[in-house]
Structures are given as structure tokens and as C-alpha cells.
Amino acid sequence: MAIEKVSLHSLAKASSAWAIGLSLGLSLAACGGGSTTAGQSVTSATTTTTPPPSPPPPPPPSSAVASVTTIDVNALANYAAPTLPAYYDGSVRALDSLPAGSSITDRGATLGRVLFYDKQLSINGAVSCASCHRQAFGFDDAVRFSTGFAGTAFTTAHAMRLGNIRYWQPGTMFWDRRAASVEAQASQPIIHPVEMGWDAEAGGIPALITRLQGLAYYQELFTLVFGSATVTEARIQDALGQFERSMISSSSRWDTAYAQVFSATGPNRNLNVTLPGFTAQEDRGRQLFMTGPAGGGAGCAACHVPPTFALAAGSRSNGLDAGERTLFKSPSLKNVGLSKAFMHDGRFSTLADVVEHYNSGVQDGPALDNRVRGPGGVPQRLGLSVADKAALVAFMLTLNDATFVSDPRFSNPFR
């Protein structure tokens, strides 16, 4: 069932390289900028010596960064190599939409974090990305439609949760999938006439770049990441994408329990077994979520795939409206219990409303996913009992991740 706006990093070489003397009289040049280059082997007739990797260059001066943010560029938060559960293994990594040859770095994601929370990205300094994507709500908004920079106009779609967007394999963004990637999506709220206001009349992205180029803390941060202070749209997109892709939610109650039973070689990776610490109601909800309608369940996991609970790559639409032709997507269900509005237009205000839609409200149309069709190809009618509907809600609440929504790596860095 499909319940439900928003990195790439191409780290530039540092502006200088240094030589490391070798006892054999040879030298090795190394590139900086947050990555390391493996030492080259020096071979003689009898021995092979491999010098250690060269360290990244020291951070450039960062007095402006320190004056406006809590970030210490000499001790950046870990975005590049987070500790993930064992079940984030090859089967999960295969779903990673990060383009080949790209990476997430501590420096790049840090710049993305500053951009994400900076109200200077709106034309009047009133809103930021985080104004609509709030950490406490799983980077969702607490209202159905978000307020734009002017404070009087509203968006026409509900803000999306951002956790685990990295594992939506097609990589497309927005509810209607119109942006090809996280990076392509990043510019759209900025130039939107309601959201952040840098439309053509206001000068567009070039006018924003002129503003950011004049801020000392961005001169320092762009130099830290890219080796020069030049601000470009591609660099903004890259950094925002790195930050958003680093938002991995893997510490919910479900995760804690599943980690105790996970088996890479077990049937279906042990996804459909009783979980320790769950109440009877929560475990009944788990069973309904993981089991298909043919087995007496609701079949939710066929579209919202554990352990990331991101949407399956081949999913279509969920029958909200009769005759629907748009192929909608949804965010991961992690932290779905923190949301206050559901679906692309926020029409439902409770998870119970969402469950009832799949139970009795699916409408037919050309875009409808076959997994929410019943016998004969008509929209499914699950016929769940009151107790089973409540159990599904109880299970989805176990996907809330208190660690994720309080993680300082994803919090507002401004003083």
C-alpha cells in the first residue's frame, strides 16, 4: 500500500598538494579536499614500500562560520560513515539512489546542513527548507499546506518526510516524481513564487548566488568543500543533496526489535516473525503489514519495503481518486506516526484515515498499482476488523525514530 519536496558530492581537489619525502628518494603527491589517495607502491629488487595515505588539507580559516553557527570545522559531524544495523547490507545498498562515482562527505553534508536551515535562501529571509521540513516531525510539516515566504500564500502539496530518501531507487523527487533527482529537486522550492520567492522576476538563482557570495560564512564553507569560494547552483544542489541523503532513519523501536531476529539467510530475512518487546497488538499489526491479502494480511510491505520502509521501485498510485493518471510516490514510512497530514494533498489527518482508505476506499484508474487490486482486477476491499485496523496503526507507530528526530547532525546549526 502506498501511504505517502527535496546528494551528490563531487569534491574538488584542494588548491595545493604537498610532497612526502621517501627514503628511496621518490615522492608521492596527494589530493586533499576531504578524501585520501592510496599510497603508490615503490618497488626495488627486494622490497616494496607503501607509504601511508596523505591526510586531507587542514580546514581554511573559519571565523565567520564560527560566529554564526555552532559548527567546528576541525571536528565535523560524521555523515560519510554512519554506523548502520547489520541488515543495512547488500540488499539495502542495492536500493541506494546515490549515482555511481558520487559520495557523501562530512564537509559536503555540513555545507548542505547550513543551506537547509538558512533563511537567506528565501528572497526576504523569512523561510528556509527547514521551515517546511521540520526535524521534530520527521522532516515533515505540522500543517497540511506550508506557508510561503510572504506568510500569506500556501503551497498546494503537503511537505514530504525526508528520512531514507536515499533508498528510493528511481531517485525521482516530489509527489508526482517530476524532478529527476534529489539534486534537481533542490532548486525548485528556491525559484518557486510562493515557497522561497526567487522566481524570474526576482532574478532567479543568479540573484540568490549573488547574495550567498557576499556572505563570509559561505565563502569559508564553499572553500572548505570545493577548494574555492565560488557559489554555483550545481554546488548548492550537491551540498543539499548530500545532507538530505545522509538522513537515514534506523533507530526506531521496530529497528531495535528486528535487529534481534534478523537473519540474512532466513526466510524473507526473518521479516515476518514475532518481534521481541512488541505488544500483542503491535505484533498483530506487524503480521498484517508484512503478510499479503492472500494470506489474510493487508500487504503493506509489498510497496513500503522494510527495513527502510521506502517505496518499492516499481510502485504506481494508490487509488486516492477515481480515474487517477498521475504516478504518485510516497516517502518512507519511518516516522509516519509523527506526521499530522497524509497523502500528497494532506487530505487525511490520522493514520486511522489512511488505513481505512486501503481497507475500503481505493478507487480505480489507469495509474492504480496492481497490488491494491483485488480479485478480478477491481480495487481491493480488505474487510479488516476494527481491531485489525487499530493494530496496523499501532505497528506503524513503532516506526517512529526518537534518535533521528533529535540527532544534532540534522539540527539547526545557526546560533
Side-chain angles (χ1 to χ4, degrees):
M1 73 183 185
I3 295 184
E4 309 282 317
K5 292 179 319 29
V6 334
S7 128
L8 299 180
H9 177 62
S10 180
L11 187 60
K13 291 185 179 178
S15 58
S16 62
W18 59 93
I20 299 176
L22 298 179
S23 60
L24 297 178
L26 300 178
S27 63
L28 175 67
C31 298
S35 62
T36 57
T37 303
Q40 298 174 348
S41 296
V42 180
T43 307
S44 69
T46 58
T47 62
T48 299
T49 303
T50 303
S54 300
S62 57
S63 58
V65 173
S67 69
V68 299
T69 77
T70 59
I71 293 168
D72 180 355
V73 299
N74 294 292
L76 295 176
N78 176 19
Y79 299 97
T83 300
L84 297 174
Y87 48 82
Y88 274 65
D89 54 13
S91 64
V92 173
R93 291 192 295 272
L95 302 174
D96 194 337
S97 63
L98 187 69
S102 300
S103 64
I104 294 173
T105 68
D106 297 342
R107 295 183 178 191
T110 297
L111 170 57
R113 177 187 172 198
V114 175
L115 289 163
F116 188 87
Y117 279 94
D118 199 344
K119 294 181 179 181
Q120 291 297 323
L121 267 68
S122 63
I123 191 169
N124 62 349
V127 298
S128 67
C129 302
S131 298
C132 300
H133 299 279
R134 299 166 60 182
Q135 185 177 14
F137 299 100
F139 293 97
D140 194 353
D141 203 342
V143 295
R144 180 177 180 182
F145 298 121
S146 304
T147 306
F149 73 92
T152 55
F154 296 88
T155 60
T156 57
H158 181 64
M160 261 189 173
R161 293 185 306 277
L162 299 182
N164 292 349
I165 61 170
R166 184 170 181 168
Y167 299 108
W168 160 242
Q169 177 56 46
T172 52
M173 296 301 294
F174 293 115
W175 292 99
D176 60 5
R177 315 186 191 195
R178 65 185 183 273
S181 67
V182 180
E183 292 72 29
Q185 182 277 334
S187 295
Q188 299 309 302
I190 296 173
I191 63 176
H192 195 278
V194 169
E195 296 188 48
M196 303 179 89
W198 293 101
D199 57 11
E201 184 178 351
I205 294 291
L208 170 65
I209 289 174
T210 298
R211 174 185 288 182
L212 300 188
Q213 197 78 64
L215 297 173
Y217 58 95
Y218 280 123
Q219 293 179 25
E220 293 174 358
L221 285 168
F222 276 80
T223 300
L224 175 70
V225 179
F226 299 106
S228 78
T230 303
V231 179
T232 68
E233 181 178 15
R235 287 179 171 186
I236 293 171
Q237 291 176 329
D238 181 34
L240 279 169
Q242 286 193 58
F243 178 61
E244 292 168 16
R245 289 181 193 274
S246 72
M247 295 178 179
I248 300 174
S249 175
S250 60
S251 301
S252 67
R253 279 189 57 222
W254 178 87
D255 288 282
T256 300
Y258 181 59
Q260 299 177 56
V261 302
F262 163 68
S263 171
T265 59
N268 197 26
R269 298 160 57 84
N270 281 7
L271 279 168
N272 201 2
V273 299
T274 298
L275 296 183
F278 271 35
T279 66
Q281 183 187 49
E282 291 166 343
D283 202 61
R284 172 59 177 163
R286 173 204 57 76
Q287 183 182 26
L288 289 164
F289 191 97
M290 301 295 176
T291 305
C300 314
C303 294
H304 301 283
V305 183
T308 68
F309 291 86
L311 191 66
S315 297
R316 292 170 63 81
S317 292
N318 64 347
L320 278 177
D321 297 301
E324 182 59 69
R325 294 180 176 275
T326 302
L327 289 180
F328 288 108
K329 61 163 285 188
S330 82
S332 165
L333 295 190
K334 285 295 186 71
N335 300 296
V336 67
L338 302 178
S339 293
K340 305 299 181 183
F342 306 89
M343 307 299 176
H344 67 277
D345 56 4
R347 69 179 65 184
F348 298 141
S349 59
T350 69
L351 280 174
D353 295 335
V354 172
V355 171
E356 189 56 54
H357 164 72
Y358 292 102
N359 182 56
S360 64
V362 175
Q363 303 297 304
D364 203 0
L368 186 65
D369 194 296
N370 285 331
R371 285 165 288 193
V372 288
R373 292 186 184 276
V378 300
Q380 71 179 8
R381 297 292 182 261
L382 294 173
L384 298 174
S385 68
V386 171
D388 279 351
K389 287 184 285 188
L392 271 172
V393 171
F395 170 73
M396 285 188 282
L397 295 179
T398 71
L399 304 180
N400 291 349
D401 187 342
T403 298
F404 178 75
V405 299
S406 62
D407 193 327
R409 293 178 302 155
F410 306 131
S411 67
N412 186 353
F414 285 95
R415 293 187 183 278

